Amino acid sequence: MSQFSPSDLSRVKFRRLPDLKVSSQPCEIRDIVMVSPDSLLISNWTKESIQLVDSRTGSTESEFSTSPYDPWGICMVGRELAAVAHGGHEKLQLVHVSGARLTRGTVLCVKADCWGVAHSGDNVLVSYNNPPWLEVLSPDGSVLHQFQDPAAQTFQCPDFLTTSSDGFHYVADFKLYTITKLDSSLKVLQTFSDPQLEGPFGITSVGDGQLLVCSWSKHSIVHVDVNSGKVTTILGREDGIVKPKSLAYCPQQRKIFVCTGDETDSIQVYQWD
């Protein structure tokens, strides 16, 4: 395809490449994000660490321990700053990414156990589970916007978040099987539900109105076209997808990187032509 667009992902054919070995021993990788076409940032729950790895070889370029806190959601906030949610703890870790080096930034104390994290411009969107609510925080930890859901009508388990280039937020709810769209002030705009979105976990924006979602229960990767409402399974169990937890999208390499829910030493890699 000479002029590829993210909506074409629902029609292309993928081929599985050799897995990207990122650890010397089996571990549970909770989240993954592209830093650049050449680098991936992963949260290693088992090792209690953050790793910057080469997206072509899997070699670790930089790593630091988050112990005693367990890293869960991770996102880039701008080009040289990442945010890490410490699942089960009232902490949000900022990480400086400079070239091939990671350095520890500020640790923000939040109001409850935070799990999901995404950027909101130069700020950070975080999610909580008990009770479910969302907040947009400034880099110094000030609350800028808040969406509370005490009756758990909109969310029950909003563990994974993403933000599109046009500034809209999307929240995957594992228990309700929904994807919810919100604006930058956390006003709910739309909610999507489809049988193919059973047990949605990792979610990433691949373009305005275009999402890729990990369906944990269906063992699949699903493409969601928000504009049309079309939902398409693009990778499934027959392609080697089992309990997908998170994914990253690299248009420059035409690759999708997938982390599974089981302990492993590798990340799955799929490419389209």
Side-chain angles (χ1 to χ4, degrees):
M1 299 180 181
S2 58
Q3 292 184 335
F4 180 84
S5 70
S7 60
D8 292 323
L9 286 171
S10 63
R11 297 190 295 272
V12 301
K13 290 185 177 181
F14 293 86
R15 55 190 174 95
R16 185 171 178 178
L17 301 182
D19 291 354
L20 200 64
K21 188 169 182 178
V22 297
S23 176
S24 60
Q25 59 188 8
C27 58
E28 187 172 350
I29 300 170
R30 286 297 173 97
D31 205 1
I32 179 174
V33 66
M34 297 299 308
V35 176
S36 72
D38 301 319
S39 299
L40 291 160
L41 198 60
I42 64 176
S43 57
N44 190 321
W45 177 272
T46 305
K47 291 182 65 178
E48 295 182 337
S49 71
I50 303 299
Q51 292 172 242
L52 183 69
V53 303
D54 188 297
S55 65
R56 291 181 170 85
T57 67
S59 61
T60 298
E61 299 174 331
S62 185
E63 181 176 9
F64 73 80
S65 173
T66 61
S67 181
Y69 306 119
D70 305 315
W72 183 279
I74 190 167
C75 76
M76 292 301 297
V77 186
R79 295 174 59 88
E80 296 186 340
L81 185 67
V84 183
H86 291 307
H89 302 280
E90 299 175 359
K91 305 289 182 182
L92 183 72
Q93 172 77 60
L94 299 182
V95 181
H96 298 285
V97 185
S98 180
R101 184 182 180 190
L102 301 178
T103 55
R104 192 184 307 271
T106 304
V107 177
L108 303 181
C109 293
V110 293
K111 297 175 182 177
D113 298 345
C114 61
W115 299 89
V117 62
H119 78 88
S120 182
D122 295 328
N123 303 305
V124 185
L125 171 67
V126 295
S127 66
Y128 309 93
N129 277 346
N130 191 22
W133 90 90
L134 309 172
E135 286 182 333
V136 174
L137 307 175
S138 68
D140 66 2
S142 301
V143 177
L144 304 177
H145 301 287
Q146 190 175 76
F147 175 84
Q148 294 184 325
D149 192 21
Q153 294 180 338
T154 305
F155 303 115
Q156 288 186 7
C157 191
D159 279 350
F160 283 91
L161 321 172
T162 191
T163 302
S164 60
S165 58
D166 54 4
F168 292 108
H169 302 307
Y170 296 90
V171 180
D173 194 288
F174 184 73
K175 291 184 178 179
L176 293 178
Y177 301 169
T178 57
I179 304 296
T180 298
K181 178 181 179 180
L182 304 94
D183 65 14
S184 58
S185 62
L186 302 186
K187 177 183 178 181
V188 173
L189 302 176
Q190 202 170 2
T191 296
F192 302 87
S193 181
D194 188 275
Q196 296 173 83
L197 291 172
E198 186 175 329
F201 250 159
I203 179 172
T204 187
S205 171
V206 298
D208 293 350
Q210 307 292 323
L211 306 172
L212 291 180
V213 185
C214 293
S215 178
W216 167 279
S217 303
K218 291 288 189 179
H219 306 289
S220 62
I221 304 299
V222 178
H223 176 267
V224 178
D225 187 326
V226 176
N227 301 315
S228 67
K230 184 179 179 181
V231 179
T232 307
T233 296
I234 61 172
L235 289 167
R237 196 159 197 163
E238 66 276 10
D239 303 298
I241 301 293
V242 179
K243 297 179 181 177
K245 176 148 284 182
S246 57
L247 77 162
Y249 163 77
C250 183
Q252 295 88 347
Q253 294 187 48
R254 296 198 171 204
K255 292 178 182 178
I256 296 173
F257 301 88
V258 181
C259 302
T260 69
D262 295 326
E263 287 200 344
T264 178
D265 60 3
S266 303
I267 294 171
Q268 295 175 316
V269 184
Y270 297 86
Q271 187 174 50
W272 68 93
D273 297 319

